[in-house]
Amino acid sequence: MNKPVGFLVASLYLVASYPGPAAGEAVVAYEYAGEWDRCGPAPAEGEEAPVFTRPTRIAVGTDGTVYVTEDSAPGVYYFAPDGSYLGTLPPPPESESGMFASRGVAAGSDGTVYVADLYDLRIVVYDAQRSYVTDWPAPYGRARGFYSPILEDVAAGADGNIYVSYRSGAPLKAIGPSVGIDCFTPTGSLVAHWLASGYGIGVSPYGAVYVADYAYNSIEFYGSRGHYNGLWGGEGSGPGELRYPTDVAVGPDGTIFVADAGNHRIQYFTSIGRHLGQWGEEGTKAGRFGWITALAVAPNGWVYVVDQGNGRIQYFKPLVKRHEQ
């Protein structure tokens, strides 16, 4: 299937076709634009292409290339903006465990791709040509008292620094899931680290770090070195309320998008949490969601959503309205 269609405290195909709101325009809603569930070419003529089993995390590069990982699987697939399969990143050299399982993925402004390896607690780095470059260890969760830390997500900042979240289902001195955030230079030197509670992370063009707090139904936000700035949300299904948020992404204009998985919808906010809008409901039809695990925003403002519950990627375009003079 590949169906393109017309609590507050505190350049690929489609990229070229929609540059984003012009001066005097504003986004008023998001509209379903297409979806895909295929993750590779057909093995032989007349045979079906393989489909996603558990798509998990997603990133979009500055050229519009879409990167998707599958839960506990080695492959990182990449696609054109309309979902046309382009290839799979090569596996890194064999590591200590002898296994590689991708989880989070991020694309830097220079085209570098960063992948979180579940098994060996490392970040694997690919260049803009999608060739393996290097990898570095990210074992800090274990040092802070977590059993078997899991690298959950990775995000690239506009300053080139890389942010990594890790969690454990069995923290030593906490109740419920916990997570820590580490900040690295592009070459893997640790710059900062702090404790937080959450899963997915996103970084704004201005360096603010947003964390989806799955356990406490909120979005926390920090400075680029971990200074706590506030949170918003609270459990519920009303506008601005959240139920099991799994990911957060930041648009090129600073708009914050949240995967509100328990409510089967996407919500979007200003940088300090003022609710701007939402879309989606539970279901299998176009524009509806099963379980949402991640989302990403392209440079042109298109929003890509990992609808794991339905085994597909859906994407949405912004609808704009010109301000009346």
Side-chain angles (χ1 to χ4, degrees), residues 26 84 91 95 145 181 209 221 254 267 304:
S84 300
S95 60
I181 309 297
V209 180
F221 58 109
Q267 296 197 69
Y304 290 80

Side-chain angles (χ1 to χ4, degrees), residues 67 78 89-90 110-113 126-133:
Y67 299 88
Y78 56 97
L89 295 182
D110 61 353
T112 303
V113 180
Y126 298 86
D127 62 21
Q129 289 70 48
R130 305 181 185 94
S131 298
Y132 168 83
V133 176

Side-chain angles (χ1 to χ4, degrees), residues 139-164:
Y140 300 99
R142 184 173 290 122
R144 293 204 188 89
F146 294 95
Y147 291 112
S148 303
I150 297 169
L151 296 185
E152 182 64 38
D153 201 9
V154 56
D159 58 0
N161 285 334
I162 306 304
Y163 296 83
V164 178

Side-chain angles (χ1 to χ4, degrees), residues 1 9 13 21 50 63 91 100 104 137 151 153 164 258 274 291:
M1 172 173 54
V9 184
Y13 318 98
D63 64 350
F100 171 62
L151 296 185
D153 201 9
V164 178
V258 177
R274 181 171 66 86
W291 184 257

